[in-house]
Amino acid sequence: MKHVLEFEKPIIELKDKIKELKEMTAASELNLTSEIATLESRLEKLEKEIYGNLKPWDRVQIARHPDRPTTLDYIDHLFTDFIELHGDRLFRDDPAIVTGIAKYKGQPVTIVGHQRGKNTKDNLYRNFASPHPEGYRKALRQMKLAEKFKRPIISFIDTKGAHPGKGAEERGQGEAIARNLMEMASLAVPSVAVVIGEGGSGGALGIGLSDHVHMLENATYSVISPEGAASILWKDATKARDAAQSLKITSHDLKALQIIDGIVPEPRGGAHRNLSMQVAYLDVYLEKSLNYLSKQSSESLIENRWNKYKNIGEIIQ
């Protein structure tokens, strides 16, 4: 069954009406061409109006859409010769994070990304893209190998947050994320991160401290989910819509705050509507960032990265 977002219901109803008229035309001698054209024109205007005035909570719903492209989708369409690498060499492999090496336009790169499932069974296997500490240690192992072999690092961020379970805490969840932040700050190779869905708290930061950080237009990036913030602020998770408005979690908010570097456009309605178009949009930003960063020395990369994150949060007069 197709997943329909709440604010999209008027669009779906109009599409169903157009489909019904087309079927009636095909099954009888009725000529409803004029009526269909009128409805299609109305549909175009309605889509422009709705998708052109999305609220933060609407974008949260799009970012969580079950059909939204995942890290592996982008790997399949943007890179060649991908070889997935598993395990942290300490405990186990964590399927919530995918790592490996590939080629981007002929250039060897290292890829790290959160991976959601495509269905319930896959989501259970991937732990709904909520990594355990071994996932972050696996990511760090690949990033350090990238530094050794002078490969740029590309990260895809898409998680509600790191796994908060007892076992994860016992195995050092906080330490694993903190170590990643420390090590990523001093990597001597270019790094680019893209928030492709949800960017939740330390779970996102654990692979996201990069030279350039881009966000897909309808992605979100925040210290806490809207539901979590609503539960803390108002003791009522149903006020998530209000929390989303206050948190400044959208790409446009974060670009204005100078927390991210670029907003990658999405097809009308979201990345899940047209994967090929979304890949083409993202390709432009990746190529531009890598071309720019590859011209910098290791010393400049580290210094600029330090300054970038040191300046986040400063009050602009």
Side-chain angles (χ1 to χ4, degrees):
M1 184 176 178
K2 187 176 180 180
H3 186 80
V4 178
L5 302 179
E6 182 181 353
F7 66 88
E8 291 182 313
K9 287 181 180 179
I11 295 174
I12 300 302
E13 291 173 0
L14 194 50
K15 284 184 175 180
D16 289 343
K17 183 64 176 178
I18 293 171
K19 181 181 178 182
E20 181 183 344
L21 293 182
K22 287 182 176 180
E23 290 174 350
M24 289 176 61
T25 299
S28 67
E29 296 182 357
L30 290 172
N31 186 353
L32 301 173
T33 305
S34 177
E35 289 82 353
I36 292 172
T38 299
L39 290 180
E40 287 178 335
S41 177
R42 189 186 304 172
L43 175 63
E44 176 71 15
K45 292 178 181 178
L46 182 62
E47 286 189 333
K48 285 183 178 180
E49 180 182 351
I50 290 177
Y51 293 127
N53 296 281
L54 292 173
K55 306 299 183 187
W57 181 244
D58 298 332
R59 296 190 191 276
V60 170
Q61 300 308 300
I62 295 176
R64 294 174 175 175
H65 198 288
D67 296 330
R68 194 168 176 85
T70 66
T71 292
L72 286 175
D73 290 323
Y74 290 113
I75 288 174
D76 288 342
H77 288 79
L78 279 166
F79 305 93
T80 59
D81 304 316
F82 175 66
I83 300 174
E84 186 174 356
L85 300 172
H86 299 270
D88 66 343
R89 301 288 175 87
L90 292 170
F91 184 67
R92 69 170 182 120
D93 184 51
D94 185 357
I97 287 185
V98 170
T99 65
I101 54 176
K103 288 184 178 178
Y104 176 70
K105 300 185 186 299
Q107 178 185 17
V109 297
T110 287
I111 301 170
V112 177
H114 300 104
Q115 180 60 36
R116 290 184 295 104
K118 293 287 191 178
N119 51 50
T120 301
K121 182 179 179 181
D122 196 19
N123 263 318
L124 289 171
Y125 172 66
R126 301 283 182 184
N127 199 36
F128 296 86
S130 292
H132 290 77
E134 46 271 21
Y136 293 105
R137 292 176 179 133
K138 173 173 70 170
L140 180 58
R141 186 168 75 87
Q142 297 308 320
M143 288 188 278
K144 295 300 286 184
L145 279 175
E147 183 179 43
K148 180 178 181 179
F149 293 105
K150 296 180 170 51
R151 292 192 297 259
I153 300 165
I154 300 172
S155 301
F156 294 98
I157 297 171
D158 188 11
T159 181
K160 292 180 183 295
H163 185 66
K166 181 173 180 286
E169 295 297 335
E170 289 175 340
R171 296 193 302 278
Q173 184 73 284
E175 185 276 340
I177 293 173
R179 182 172 295 276
N180 277 24
L181 294 176
M182 180 183 71
E183 296 286 356
M184 292 177 75
S186 60
L187 290 171
V189 292
S191 57
V192 181
V194 185
V195 186
I196 59 174
E198 289 185 273
S201 193
L205 288 176
I207 63 169
L209 197 154
S210 303
D211 297 308
H212 282 181
V213 179
H214 302 304
M215 281 181 70
L216 267 60
E217 184 179 2
N218 294 310
T220 61
Y221 201 17
S222 176
V223 297
I224 193 171
S225 70
E227 293 88 347
S231 296
I232 293 171
L233 293 174
W234 300 296
K235 312 298 182 186
D236 185 357
T238 63
K239 292 189 175 182
R241 183 185 299 269
D242 297 327
Q245 186 74 37
S246 301
L247 283 169
K248 305 296 182 184
I249 61 177
T250 70
S251 58
H252 298 283
D253 290 328
L254 295 169
K255 184 67 168 65
L257 292 169
Q258 300 179 19
I259 291 174
I260 65 169
D261 300 282
I263 300 173
V264 182
E266 292 192 29
R268 185 188 295 172
H272 59 285
R273 290 295 185 87
N274 192 326
L275 176 58
S276 297
M277 184 182 294
Q278 187 60 73
V279 167
Y281 288 150
L282 180 53
D283 190 25
V284 173
Y285 282 76
L286 285 179
E287 184 175 21
K288 185 177 180 180
S289 283
L290 289 177
N291 286 343
Y292 175 78
L293 295 170
S294 64
K295 296 174 184 176
Q296 298 182 25
S297 66
S298 297
E299 293 77 13
S300 294
L301 285 171
I302 295 170
E303 181 180 1
N304 292 338
R305 194 182 304 141
W306 167 258
N307 289 328
K308 170 187 173 72
Y309 288 95
K310 178 172 67 71
N311 292 331
I312 286 178
E314 285 191 357
I315 297 175
I316 302 173
Q317 299 295 338

